[in-house]
Amino acid sequence: MASVPAAVLVAASYPLVVAYPFMKRITYWPQAWLGMVFGCYILAGWLAVAGRIETPALLLYVAGFFWTLGYDTIYAHQDKADDVQVGVKSLALRLGRATRTWVAGFYGATVLGLVAAGAVAGLHWTFYALFLPGVAQLFWQVATVDIDDPADCREKYVSNRFFGWLTLLAIVAGRVF
């Protein structure tokens, strides 16, 4: 049976989801809104399984928030010409040439959050070993992204599925061993 508190948390997030498309009209940081919204589902999943939100879940929330800031800022560079034309905002426009530095910081916070969550959750050393390819994947994105090439930005954005899968594999291995 589904957790009632988790279902309530998910339902409470729906207005945030609906509001997201309008954030580009309000702030240069719509990616932050998206990170907060997506993080609700991390918390809901933990709540459904554990019955309460614990410290590792909060650390995963923070890591997810920063990961979203990173990959969605790269994604936003695909649309920056259109965004200027229609008069909406994004981190791609706000950060401009400083994007690589900021995304490196966002991804650094992602890695720190995941490592901290793993430590607090008591994951086996295999988590850390298997997490390294995921860290390398984020590093590759930052080192090679061409923010002026929409196709490259799309490639880097889509490549985040590999980071997600690698992270999931590392977490599962860290729990199993």
Side-chain angles (χ1 to χ4, degrees):
M1 181 172 184
S3 164
V4 172
V8 169
L9 179 59
V10 168
S13 75
Y14 291 156
L16 303 175
V17 172
V18 170
Y20 168 67
F22 302 101
M23 290 299 112
K24 289 182 93 171
R25 299 186 184 288
I26 298 169
T27 180
Y28 280 102
W29 290 79
Q31 290 75 17
W33 188 272
L34 187 63
M36 290 186 301
V37 171
F38 283 178
C40 290
Y41 306 110
I42 293 168
L43 298 176
W46 194 284
L47 186 57
V49 172
R52 64 184 180 277
I53 297 174
E54 300 168 318
T55 302
L58 296 173
L59 292 167
L60 287 173
Y61 177 89
V62 170
F65 172 80
F66 282 107
W67 182 31
T68 304
L69 279 178
Y71 71 69
D72 205 51
T73 298
I74 291 171
Y75 179 87
H77 275 279
Q78 295 179 99
D79 300 333
K80 62 188 172 188
D82 293 335
D83 288 350
V84 168
Q85 188 174 14
V86 297
V88 296
K89 303 169 185 171
S90 75
L91 275 177
L93 297 176
R94 179 73 177 121
L95 301 177
R97 293 277 162 226
T99 292
R100 186 182 313 270
T101 301
W102 280 85
V103 170
F106 297 152
Y107 283 168
T110 301
V111 170
L112 288 175
L114 286 164
V115 167
V120 172
L123 295 184
H124 189 265
W125 67 265
T126 54
F127 163 73
Y128 305 98
L130 293 175
F131 184 52
L132 287 175
V135 174
Q137 201 280 338
L138 293 179
F139 178 79
W140 166 79
Q141 286 181 51
V142 171
T144 63
V145 67
D146 179 352
I147 62 170
D148 294 319
D149 180 354
D152 186 62
C153 291
R154 184 182 190 309
E155 176 189 356
K156 299 308 186 294
Y157 166 77
V158 170
S159 78
N160 277 279
R161 70 177 179 258
F162 297 118
F163 176 75
W165 282 111
L166 291 167
T167 302
L168 176 63
L169 174 68
I171 290 170
V172 169
R175 277 302 278 171
V176 170
F177 295 105

